[in-house]
Amino acid sequence: MRIYKPARHSFLITLLVVIIPHLTTAVTVYPDIRESTELGPKGGSVEVNDEETGVIVIVSFPENSLKEPTRITVVLHGSPLPKVIGKAHINGISVLPAGLHLQEKANLNVFNPPVNVTKGMILYHIINEQFIIPLGSQVKYEEDNWIEGTFYTTGKFGLGTPTAAEITTQSKKLASYNPARPLAYTDDESARQIILIAEKNIFNDVSLFKGPNTGISPEYLPAIVCTSSAGDDCLRWQKVLEQVEGHVTWMHQRRLAGADQSAAAAAEQANAERALKNAMESYLSKQSGANRCGAYLKAAEKYLQTAISLGLDTRTLSFIDQRYNQLKNECSYEFMVERLEWINHPKEKLDDGATLEEKSNWYGTIRCLVPPNEFMGHLPRIMASEGSMSLHYENHWVGYVKEKEHHIESNGSFKIRRIDGTIRSGINDSGLRYPDEARLTIYWDKSVTTRIWGYNLENEPYDRSRTDNEPYEETVTYPLINGYEERIGDEKAGYRIKIIILRNPFDMKDDPNDCF
């Protein structure tokens, strides 16, 4: 007798055709909850509130995290994203547009999740159906039932409690992850099966989650492979730091598991250091683009900050530190103020027959420098300055009676001891910040020598001198417009200032093809 043995693939399809209609009719699919707002370089936050379950999600973007105005949407999903780990406590969160690389870390907060927040719980970035990267800087507020973490790249996120085995599996995947290349799946039968199940919406209704849950066992998920196509090999610092911070989070989770996990925790620290060192070596060996003051500078700054926080050795730090300091000098915002005061009163005969002549020339320059990292704050500070002024003044009065005269002559030099000042920024039509105004308190050291001579009313000659070394200060405000000039007075007496922008990295734009 001939026995017919159906193919495994055919049997699965038959099973799905029979079962799916019954399962799908029994499942309630919850709607997504979403909120959107337009945010720009000033930063801001988006909040999603599920009134039914009490779950609140707040995503905060600090100042300068976004380069330009962007419409940010946060979605609290009603149907589940890929679980990846067994104990996923929410269906998932999406921060859109996906794949947006931020200039500063955004903060993801989840309040009142369906289960109580515990030390073993983590927030994670869902890279694909088999791979997650835990968020950085995670803090769990168990008494307040609140958890937070940070990320550099928008996309899909989850909240769950991984088992020890899942931590081991995911940390190994993270260690072998190449941030320069996109992830793809093997084109095998199991991969197609998973896609088929997902497309047919086979869900299990689990009360712990808002909405349904796929409940697919990880053992059937496809294996990850790294592939690249033209233009894909791009090692962005945001991806590197997410990998590094992911290892640090796994390290903390290992330590929470107990003393027997100390070796595993040390391995995670080593993985974080290795990932960062490899990225820094790649960065230092790569030629910079035409604009060294944009993404190229930012990458050096972030790599250095992370290397310091990881406690890398001095030799490793020295290379990236040297590059960053070089760029910081190149990319500082620098301006100069030129000031001139004058009196040009030629000799003239007064009504009483005496003559009077007065002239003065008071000229000075001020140079101020603002490092690029200062523009990350609300009020960038003047961090370096220099300046000097010179003074020459004469006043001559000669009476109509012989030997009745009075003369004054002053000569002085001024040098800046320090400047305390800040830069006020404006926002252009594109929502980008730019230096708009400088507010300075200038502390001058001076040395002014004045000589006074002539004849008094008794026809007695006098000739005396004194030197004034008393320091003084002044508070001034200047518009930061290149070529700006303000003039008061005329040829006889007046005052003029001129603003010269010596170096302005804000005028430089990144090449879209640059990748740092």
Side-chain angles (χ1 to χ4, degrees):
M1 181 175 65
R2 186 176 181 181
I3 299 175
Y4 174 72
K5 186 177 181 181
R8 179 173 176 268
H9 183 68
S10 301
F11 177 76
L12 177 61
I13 294 176
T14 304
L15 183 64
L16 292 175
V17 171
V18 173
I19 294 178
I20 286 173
H22 298 283
L23 289 176
T24 54
T25 56
V27 173
T28 302
V29 178
Y30 293 84
D32 293 342
I33 302 174
R34 63 178 62 215
E35 293 291 341
S36 299
T37 189
E38 185 166 293
L39 301 177
K42 286 186 175 181
S45 62
V46 183
E47 178 177 334
V48 177
N49 191 340
D50 182 359
E51 296 181 357
E52 182 180 335
T53 64
V55 176
I56 300 173
V57 175
I58 300 177
V59 183
S60 301
F61 295 83
E63 189 174 10
N64 298 309
S65 57
L66 296 165
K67 284 185 174 181
E68 57 189 10
T70 305
R71 188 160 191 80
I72 300 295
T73 300
V74 177
V75 182
L76 182 57
H77 288 280
S79 55
L81 298 177
K83 283 179 59 179
V84 189
I85 62 175
K87 290 184 179 179
H89 304 309
I90 60 174
N91 283 324
I93 300 163
S94 287
V95 181
L96 307 173
L100 183 65
H101 299 300
L102 306 174
Q103 301 302 297
E104 300 293 335
K105 288 189 285 190
N107 194 275
L108 173 60
N109 296 268
V110 178
F111 300 85
N112 306 318
V115 297
N116 291 332
V117 171
T118 63
K119 292 180 180 179
M121 190 178 290
I122 62 165
L123 289 163
Y124 52 87
H125 193 163
I126 303 172
I127 306 302
N128 59 33
E129 294 177 350
Q130 193 181 359
F131 180 36
I132 61 171
I133 299 179
L135 270 58
S137 307
Q138 298 208 28
V139 183
K140 293 109 178 192
Y141 305 91
E142 296 180 65
E143 292 184 0
D144 299 321
N145 204 27
W146 162 30
I147 183 172
E148 66 173 324
T150 58
F151 63 91
Y152 276 110
T153 305
T154 58
K156 298 177 180 179
F157 301 90
L159 172 66
T161 303
T163 64
E166 287 172 332
I167 292 176
T168 298
T169 299
Q170 291 298 324
S171 65
K172 287 180 179 178
K173 291 177 180 178
L174 184 59
S176 61
Y177 168 55
N178 182 353
R181 299 191 175 194
L183 293 174
Y185 300 104
T186 54
D187 187 20
D188 60 11
E189 186 177 18
S190 63
R192 289 195 297 272
Q193 291 170 3
I194 293 301
I195 293 171
L196 179 61
I197 292 174
E199 288 174 348
K200 293 297 183 179
N201 292 320
I202 299 182
F203 299 126
N204 296 321
D205 197 0
V206 180
S207 60
L208 288 179
F209 307 139
K210 180 191 181 305
N213 169 53
T214 54
I216 300 171
S217 174
E219 63 183 306
Y220 295 110
L221 291 171
I224 296 176
V225 294
C226 289
T227 63
S228 67
S229 58
D232 284 335
D233 290 354
C234 179
L235 185 63
R236 296 193 182 277
W237 62 264
Q238 292 96 334
K239 291 183 178 181
V240 172
L241 297 195
E242 284 197 338
Q243 181 184 24
V244 170
E245 294 190 355
H247 279 302
V248 172
T249 298
W250 285 139
M251 178 185 70
H252 292 317
Q253 294 301 114
R254 299 276 197 183
R255 288 175 176 170
L256 288 173
D260 60 332
Q261 292 291 308
S262 59
E268 294 297 344
Q269 171 77 18
N271 286 336
E273 293 179 5
R274 181 169 56 253
L276 183 60
K277 287 178 181 178
N278 290 341
M280 290 194 299
E281 288 174 3
S282 174
Y283 168 83
L284 292 170
S285 64
K286 187 184 299 185
Q287 186 172 359
S288 68
N291 178 18
R292 291 164 59 89
C293 300
Y296 188 71
L297 167 65
K298 191 68 176 181
E301 175 191 338
K302 290 300 183 180
Y303 284 147
L304 178 60
Q305 289 176 355
T306 307
I308 292 172
S309 68
L310 282 181
L312 294 188
D313 60 272
T314 305
R315 182 177 179 277
T316 303
L317 279 173
S318 64
F319 297 107
I320 193 70
D321 183 59
Q322 182 179 359
R323 180 66 55 86
Y324 175 63
N325 284 316
Q326 176 188 358
L327 292 170
K328 189 167 68 170
N329 183 58
E330 285 182 27
C331 301
S332 293
Y333 180 83
E334 187 175 3
F335 65 92
M336 182 175 77
V337 181
E338 187 180 62
R339 309 197 313 189
L340 175 64
E341 295 183 36
W342 67 91
I343 298 174
N344 186 20
H345 190 162
K347 183 185 291 187
E348 67 170 327
K349 191 170 184 179
L350 305 178
D351 292 342
D352 61 1
T355 61
L356 176 66
E357 179 183 10
E358 184 180 26
K359 56 184 177 180
S360 173
N361 186 289
W362 194 346
Y363 175 79
T365 59
I366 302 167
R367 294 179 65 150
C368 295
L369 184 144
V370 186
N373 57 309
E374 279 296 316
F375 286 98
M376 297 299 102
H378 179 61
L379 284 175
R381 297 168 297 170
I382 305 294
M383 299 303 291
S385 59
E386 63 179 17
S388 61
M389 291 193 298
S390 61
L391 168 67
H392 178 76
Y393 175 80
E394 295 181 31
N395 184 299
H396 304 284
W397 176 86
V398 178
Y400 70 94
V401 179
K402 188 178 180 180
E403 296 182 343
K404 295 290 188 295
E405 55 188 82
H406 182 72
H407 305 273
I408 302 175
E409 182 175 332
S410 295
N411 290 283
S413 62
F414 300 74
K415 188 174 182 179
I416 288 178
R417 182 172 5 112
R418 82 171 195 271
I419 291 180
D420 292 339
T422 57
I423 303 297
R424 189 178 71 86
S425 296
I427 304 292
N428 63 18
D429 294 338
S430 299
L432 302 178
R433 294 178 60 188
Y434 65 92
D436 181 55
E437 184 180 76
R439 299 176 180 179
L440 313 175
T441 299
I442 307 173
Y443 298 86
W444 293 97
D445 289 326
K446 69 179 181 181
S447 177
V448 179
T449 300
T450 301
R451 179 191 174 204
I452 302 174
W453 75 96
Y455 292 89
N456 59 23
L457 295 177
E458 286 75 31
N459 293 328
E460 296 174 344
Y462 58 89
D463 191 339
R464 56 184 181 271
S465 298
R466 66 182 179 88
T467 299
D468 181 5
N469 293 318
E470 187 71 21
Y472 82 102
E473 65 183 71
E474 61 175 334
T475 299
V476 292
T477 300
Y478 296 119
L480 294 176
I481 303 172
N482 190 36
Y484 175 86
E485 189 169 323
E486 180 180 326
R487 185 184 180 105
I488 300 173
D490 53 25
E491 293 182 355
K492 290 185 177 181
Y495 169 84
R496 178 180 68 84
I497 64 167
K498 185 175 182 179
I499 310 298
I500 303 168
I501 308 301
L502 300 173
R503 198 163 38 182
N504 186 6
F506 291 88
D507 288 340
M508 305 176 71
K509 304 298 180 184
D510 282 325
D511 186 327
N513 296 320
D514 287 345
C515 178
F516 302 106

